[in-house]
Amino acid sequence: MLSDIENIHRISKYRIKDREKASIFQYICSQPSPTRKKAAADLKIRPTTVSKSVQELIQDTLVYERS
């Protein structure tokens, strides 16, 4: 059975870090102009966690950061 993007990161076999990263990726994809600060506030995740996850997403070439 396939999972949808809304629920794939909620499966308990994944690490919390992975679920947070998936939530942040989903947030970035759903927002017209996402910021780290807004993501942290909206997702109720620590700003340092958001920054580390975003950096990993950039390194994974899943997102890029505009200046």
Side-chain angles (χ1 to χ4, degrees):
M1 175 174 281
L2 296 175
S3 295
D4 60 13
I5 193 71
E6 298 284 325
N7 296 309
I8 196 162
H9 59 272
R10 293 190 179 122
I11 299 170
S12 63
K13 69 179 180 177
Y14 298 109
R15 299 178 302 170
I16 292 172
K17 176 184 172 184
D18 295 331
R19 285 183 279 178
E20 289 172 338
K21 187 175 172 182
S23 294
I24 293 164
F25 179 70
Q26 182 178 342
Y27 181 84
I28 291 169
C29 292
S30 69
Q31 299 296 310
S33 297
T35 65
R36 292 177 188 204
K37 184 177 182 177
K38 185 139 175 54
D42 290 350
L43 297 173
K44 295 177 178 59
I45 298 175
R46 291 182 9 199
T48 54
T49 301
V50 171
S51 288
K52 287 178 184 177
S53 293
V54 168
Q55 192 59 40
E56 287 181 18
L57 291 168
I58 291 168
Q59 290 172 348
D60 295 341
T61 65
L62 294 171
V63 299
Y64 69 95
E65 193 166 32
R66 292 187 291 190
S67 49

